[in-house]
mmCIF file of all heavy atoms in Angstrom:
data_model
loop_
_atom_site.group_PDB
_atom_site.id
_atom_site.type_symbol
_atom_site.label_atom_id
_atom_site.label_comp_id
_atom_site.label_asym_id
_atom_site.label_seq_id
_atom_site.Cartn_x
_atom_site.Cartn_y
_atom_site.Cartn_z
ATOM 1 N N VAL P 1379 89.380 105.193 124.803
ATOM 2 C CA VAL P 1379 88.577 104.173 125.481
ATOM 3 C C VAL P 1379 87.882 103.323 124.425
ATOM 4 O O VAL P 1379 87.148 103.844 123.576
ATOM 5 C CB VAL P 1379 87.514 104.792 126.413
ATOM 6 C CG1 VAL P 1379 86.767 103.691 127.170
ATOM 7 C CG2 VAL P 1379 88.144 105.769 127.396
ATOM 8 N N LEU P 1380 88.171 102.036 124.468
ATOM 9 C CA LEU P 1380 87.548 101.090 123.523
ATOM 10 C C LEU P 1380 86.694 100.097 124.297
ATOM 11 O O LEU P 1380 87.056 99.681 125.395
ATOM 12 C CB LEU P 1380 88.632 100.305 122.781
ATOM 13 C CG LEU P 1380 89.549 101.054 121.829
ATOM 14 C CD1 LEU P 1380 90.604 100.102 121.274
ATOM 15 C CD2 LEU P 1380 88.748 101.657 120.690
ATOM 16 N N LEU P 1381 85.591 99.734 123.700
ATOM 17 C CA LEU P 1381 84.747 98.672 124.264
ATOM 18 C C LEU P 1381 84.557 97.622 123.184
ATOM 19 O O LEU P 1381 84.677 97.923 121.990
ATOM 20 C CB LEU P 1381 83.356 99.216 124.603
ATOM 21 C CG LEU P 1381 83.213 100.338 125.615
ATOM 22 C CD1 LEU P 1381 81.774 100.810 125.633
ATOM 23 C CD2 LEU P 1381 83.623 99.871 126.985
ATOM 24 N N GLY P 1382 84.212 96.413 123.609
ATOM 25 C CA GLY P 1382 83.967 95.403 122.585
ATOM 26 C C GLY P 1382 83.233 94.203 123.124
ATOM 27 O O GLY P 1382 83.188 93.971 124.342
ATOM 28 N N MET P 1383 82.633 93.471 122.213
ATOM 29 C CA MET P 1383 81.947 92.233 122.575
ATOM 30 C C MET P 1383 82.210 91.250 121.445
ATOM 31 O O MET P 1383 81.952 91.564 120.281
ATOM 32 C CB MET P 1383 80.446 92.493 122.687
ATOM 33 C CG MET P 1383 79.634 91.295 123.120
ATOM 34 S SD MET P 1383 77.910 91.558 122.675
ATOM 35 C CE MET P 1383 77.258 92.094 124.213
ATOM 36 N N GLN P 1384 82.798 90.114 121.793
ATOM 37 C CA GLN P 1384 83.078 89.117 120.761
ATOM 38 C C GLN P 1384 83.082 87.726 121.367
ATOM 39 O O GLN P 1384 83.252 87.594 122.574
ATOM 40 C CB GLN P 1384 84.417 89.441 120.071
ATOM 41 C CG GLN P 1384 85.603 89.522 121.004
ATOM 42 C CD GLN P 1384 86.829 90.182 120.363
ATOM 43 O OE1 GLN P 1384 86.756 91.261 119.798
ATOM 44 N NE2 GLN P 1384 87.953 89.497 120.453
ATOM 45 N N ASP P 1385 82.893 86.734 120.522
ATOM 46 C CA ASP P 1385 82.798 85.363 121.027
ATOM 47 C C ASP P 1385 84.151 84.693 121.223
ATOM 48 O O ASP P 1385 84.250 83.659 121.872
ATOM 49 C CB ASP P 1385 81.963 84.512 120.058
ATOM 50 C CG ASP P 1385 80.477 84.779 120.254
ATOM 51 O OD1 ASP P 1385 80.150 85.626 121.115
ATOM 52 O OD2 ASP P 1385 79.662 84.151 119.553
ATOM 53 N N LYS P 1386 85.179 85.256 120.599
ATOM 54 C CA LYS P 1386 86.501 84.622 120.677
ATOM 55 C C LYS P 1386 87.491 85.603 121.267
ATOM 56 O O LYS P 1386 87.409 86.802 120.952
ATOM 57 C CB LYS P 1386 86.973 84.209 119.276
ATOM 58 C CG LYS P 1386 86.196 83.071 118.683
ATOM 59 C CD LYS P 1386 86.716 81.721 119.192
ATOM 60 C CE LYS P 1386 85.782 80.631 118.691
ATOM 61 N NZ LYS P 1386 85.508 79.517 119.450
ATOM 62 N N PRO P 1387 88.442 85.178 122.076
ATOM 63 C CA PRO P 1387 88.576 83.845 122.666
ATOM 64 C C PRO P 1387 87.399 83.510 123.590
ATOM 65 O O PRO P 1387 86.680 84.411 124.014
ATOM 66 C CB PRO P 1387 89.891 83.940 123.459
ATOM 67 C CG PRO P 1387 90.146 85.403 123.668
ATOM 68 C CD PRO P 1387 89.474 86.121 122.547
ATOM 69 N N ASP P 1388 87.298 82.220 123.911
ATOM 70 C CA ASP P 1388 86.114 81.736 124.617
ATOM 71 C C ASP P 1388 85.791 82.513 125.894
ATOM 72 O O ASP P 1388 84.629 82.768 126.195
ATOM 73 C CB ASP P 1388 86.278 80.240 124.970
ATOM 74 C CG ASP P 1388 86.202 79.387 123.718
ATOM 75 O OD1 ASP P 1388 85.687 79.900 122.694
ATOM 76 O OD2 ASP P 1388 86.684 78.238 123.740
ATOM 77 N N TRP P 1389 86.877 82.910 126.624
ATOM 78 C CA TRP P 1389 86.635 83.574 127.912
ATOM 79 C C TRP P 1389 85.981 84.951 127.755
ATOM 80 O O TRP P 1389 85.509 85.535 128.707
ATOM 81 C CB TRP P 1389 87.920 83.652 128.747
ATOM 82 C CG TRP P 1389 89.099 84.328 128.068
ATOM 83 C CD1 TRP P 1389 90.102 83.694 127.394
ATOM 84 C CD2 TRP P 1389 89.392 85.728 128.006
ATOM 85 N NE1 TRP P 1389 91.000 84.613 126.908
ATOM 86 C CE2 TRP P 1389 90.599 85.870 127.272
ATOM 87 C CE3 TRP P 1389 88.774 86.882 128.484
ATOM 88 C CZ2 TRP P 1389 91.184 87.115 127.014
ATOM 89 C CZ3 TRP P 1389 89.366 88.111 128.230
ATOM 90 C CH2 TRP P 1389 90.545 88.232 127.506
ATOM 91 N N MET P 1390 85.926 85.450 126.537
ATOM 92 C CA MET P 1390 85.320 86.773 126.349
ATOM 93 C C MET P 1390 83.831 86.674 126.077
ATOM 94 O O MET P 1390 83.109 87.656 126.164
ATOM 95 C CB MET P 1390 85.972 87.456 125.142
ATOM 96 C CG MET P 1390 87.157 88.283 125.501
ATOM 97 S SD MET P 1390 87.378 89.489 124.203
ATOM 98 C CE MET P 1390 88.980 90.075 124.628
ATOM 99 N N LYS P 1391 83.394 85.482 125.729
ATOM 100 C CA LYS P 1391 81.998 85.289 125.324
ATOM 101 C C LYS P 1391 81.042 85.709 126.448
ATOM 102 O O LYS P 1391 81.236 85.326 127.605
ATOM 103 C CB LYS P 1391 81.775 83.818 124.945
ATOM 104 C CG LYS P 1391 80.537 83.614 124.146
ATOM 105 C CD LYS P 1391 80.480 82.210 123.566
ATOM 106 C CE LYS P 1391 79.135 82.047 122.889
ATOM 107 N NZ LYS P 1391 79.026 80.864 122.116
ATOM 108 N N GLY P 1392 80.065 86.502 126.088
ATOM 109 C CA GLY P 1392 79.078 86.903 127.082
ATOM 110 C C GLY P 1392 79.451 88.137 127.880
ATOM 111 O O GLY P 1392 78.700 88.564 128.752
ATOM 112 N N TYR P 1393 80.625 88.687 127.619
ATOM 113 C CA TYR P 1393 81.053 89.895 128.339
ATOM 114 C C TYR P 1393 81.234 91.066 127.376
ATOM 115 O O TYR P 1393 81.449 90.873 126.176
ATOM 116 C CB TYR P 1393 82.407 89.649 129.014
ATOM 117 C CG TYR P 1393 82.336 88.708 130.193
ATOM 118 C CD1 TYR P 1393 82.592 87.353 130.027
ATOM 119 C CD2 TYR P 1393 82.030 89.184 131.462
ATOM 120 C CE1 TYR P 1393 82.534 86.479 131.092
ATOM 121 C CE2 TYR P 1393 81.966 88.306 132.543
ATOM 122 C CZ TYR P 1393 82.220 86.959 132.349
ATOM 123 O OH TYR P 1393 82.158 86.108 133.412
ATOM 124 N N VAL P 1394 81.182 92.263 127.950
ATOM 125 C CA VAL P 1394 81.657 93.431 127.200
ATOM 126 C C VAL P 1394 82.997 93.783 127.814
ATOM 127 O O VAL P 1394 83.126 93.861 129.033
ATOM 128 C CB VAL P 1394 80.686 94.626 127.361
ATOM 129 C CG1 VAL P 1394 81.264 95.869 126.686
ATOM 130 C CG2 VAL P 1394 79.320 94.302 126.781
ATOM 131 N N PHE P 1395 84.022 93.945 126.961
ATOM 132 C CA PHE P 1395 85.307 94.355 127.534
ATOM 133 C C PHE P 1395 85.455 95.869 127.425
ATOM 134 O O PHE P 1395 84.878 96.512 126.543
ATOM 135 C CB PHE P 1395 86.491 93.617 126.887
ATOM 136 C CG PHE P 1395 86.816 94.000 125.467
ATOM 137 C CD1 PHE P 1395 87.492 95.191 125.170
ATOM 138 C CD2 PHE P 1395 86.490 93.150 124.410
ATOM 139 C CE1 PHE P 1395 87.807 95.526 123.862
ATOM 140 C CE2 PHE P 1395 86.791 93.486 123.099
ATOM 141 C CZ PHE P 1395 87.451 94.682 122.825
ATOM 142 N N VAL P 1396 86.234 96.408 128.345
ATOM 143 C CA VAL P 1396 86.533 97.839 128.305
ATOM 144 C C VAL P 1396 88.048 97.981 128.383
ATOM 145 O O VAL P 1396 88.714 97.221 129.094
ATOM 146 C CB VAL P 1396 85.832 98.604 129.453
ATOM 147 C CG1 VAL P 1396 86.142 97.999 130.793
ATOM 148 C CG2 VAL P 1396 86.227 100.081 129.451
#
Side-chain angles (χ1 to χ4, degrees):
Chain P
V1379 184
L1380 294 176
L1381 299 173
M1383 183 199 261
Q1384 57 195 51
D1385 281 1
K1386 290 277 173 215
D1388 289 342
W1389 56 264
M1390 269 203 192
K1391 197 169 175 170
Y1393 289 95
V1394 175
F1395 71 77
V1396 53

